[in-house]
Amino acid sequence: MLKRFTFLILFLFLSLLAVAAEPAAPPQFKSSFLRVELAPDQPAFTILSVDSLGKSKLTKNPLRAPAKSAKAYKFQQAGHRFEYRPAAQPSAAAVWTFEFAERQMKLTSTYSAGNPPPAILLDINPHVSRGTLLGLFNEDGSIQLPALLHLPNLGTFRITPTPGKGLALGYDALRHKEKRVRDRDFVKVTIPGATAAIPHVEYTLDVVDIYPGSPQVASAPRFDGFRRDWLDIFQLAPRFRALANHAASDVVPFTLFEYSAMALKTPPLAPGLTALDLIRATLDRYLEGMKGYGQVGYIPNDATNPYDYSDTYPSLLMAASDYVRGSKDEDWLKKNYPGLKGWAAKLLAMDRSGTGLIEYPVSGNSGIWDKKFSLHAANWWDDIGFGHFDAYSNALAYRALLDMADLAMDANQPQDAMLYTARAEKLRSVYYDTFYDPATGVLAGWKSADGKLHDYYFTFVNSVAITYGLIPNDKANKIMDSLLAKMKSVGYTHFEYGLPGNLIPIRRDDYLEARQEWGGGVKADGSDGFQIYENGGATACYAYFTIQALYQLGRHKEGDAILFPMLQSFEDGGFQGSAPNGRSYDWKSWDGKPYGYEGLLVDGYLTLLAVLSR
């Protein structure tokens, strides 16, 4: 009996020791909008997940673990308030205080000479969510406040400081080109602590959902992907201080018109900050001489790009028009009209033969591509052999010339406006007859210098031309009939993956890439690369135009059949992230296998604009 009693006492004693040895639970907070965990030994986040829609979609943690602190801190908790003090000075003033509410965080920092507070670093893993800061840059590369911290497919924080002036956030991002070090890719946001100059600072981070639209859009679950992902198209690259493919990727002037179309509809981001401000700041960088992908000089001494892409200046002019139209910023237009006119002059000079169509200097003839990228093709779809007369770039040029005519009128330059209007009309008058292919009933992608039409049932070419008013409705309906009939006959039904850019294989002689993993191959008909990347791969990129063209033609049922599966994919994060095969989900084969490369390619989020056209 005594032995049993002694054993029981010993067991209880050891159990108490085990409980005492267990570390205290880390500081945590959770609501339907937020899931937060703080480090126990330093003022830092270990988990920061946000759901702007308040639906408890909080399983993903986009943060990497904080580095070990050089100084030890201890926290004290009172309800949803957590205070950090130096471990050696538990009675000192808190260097950082974190307070949490249902959809808000307050981070307060207090300075003392003996205990200057450390900065809080948010080390975002871009392979979980390609976070970005949206705001205006200071000269030192920091981001002015207020600003947004946006985590694609998760949610958004609006960051407001007290005091309201003199505070900014550090911001940097990098993507490693070598796959073996991709785990070192980062997006870093630094929240400075108080200083001797500003001894007490407070940052309020409010969870916000920013999107346009009707009450129906706000309440119907089928639009959750629209609401959650509306801001995903806006990614600021800190190393360029401009909008880009994503925060650590290329700046691309020939996509700026997509961002501006969305910015035109976007509600204010924060007091004194709009999405159009991001467009203006990016335009300013190009007007100052910054080069982007698709412009000569983006990569110094790059012989593969001897010519500006044909869609570069149309895109820049369209973005400028959107900015002026939305902001009513007459001073900006007056100051920058000479620069815009210079871009327009470069565009008009591309009509080298006087036909009215802009022309890329590379012939576009089949078989000219050496698979080594000694020359690039004419536009965004740069693995496809677009050249000479390019139907896509000319459709953008038409819209850009009309936009430039409006800008000229706003700038009190009526003679310029007459010129741009006349050139737009000249382009329109020859467009259909140049590109229409009676053998297929759709517009070809390009007409090469040898007079041949290159037609692969391009969904985006035909839809852009219809959207921008180059094709009368009777002809446009027949084109869409042919395009949708071909889509049905080839068996493409997976609209949750987006749309293929082309519906039949691109022949080897018309494709720039040799590797099958990028849509190339060895077969002459291109079939061994078909459904991969730009050779018929499915993507959200440019799907907007097909949906929009259908809506403009009153074909809402057909447009909805594409849109709503895509909206569900947006909500599910189906167009972003890294896959086990080393590729990403921005491009897929028709069976859903990932063949993308960016991890987040913002062009695809233009699709969400179609919701406003329903």
Side-chain angles (χ1 to χ4, degrees), residues 261-275:
M262 295 281 280
L264 198 59
K265 302 293 186 179
T266 302
L269 305 179
L273 177 68
T274 69

Side-chain angles (χ1 to χ4, degrees), residues 496-549:
E496 69 271 22
Y497 303 150
L499 287 176
N502 49 285
L503 299 177
I504 60 175
I506 296 173
R507 294 182 60 82
R508 184 182 61 194
D509 284 350
D510 277 343
Y511 204 68
L512 275 68
E513 177 60 70
R515 293 169 294 177
Q516 188 181 39
E517 63 180 299
W518 292 102
V522 297
K523 293 185 177 180
D525 65 0
S527 59
D528 52 338
F530 185 51
Q531 300 184 19
I532 298 174
Y533 192 47
E534 289 186 5
N535 190 359
T539 178
C541 298
Y542 286 82
Y544 160 76
F545 289 100
T546 299
I547 301 167
Q548 178 65 22

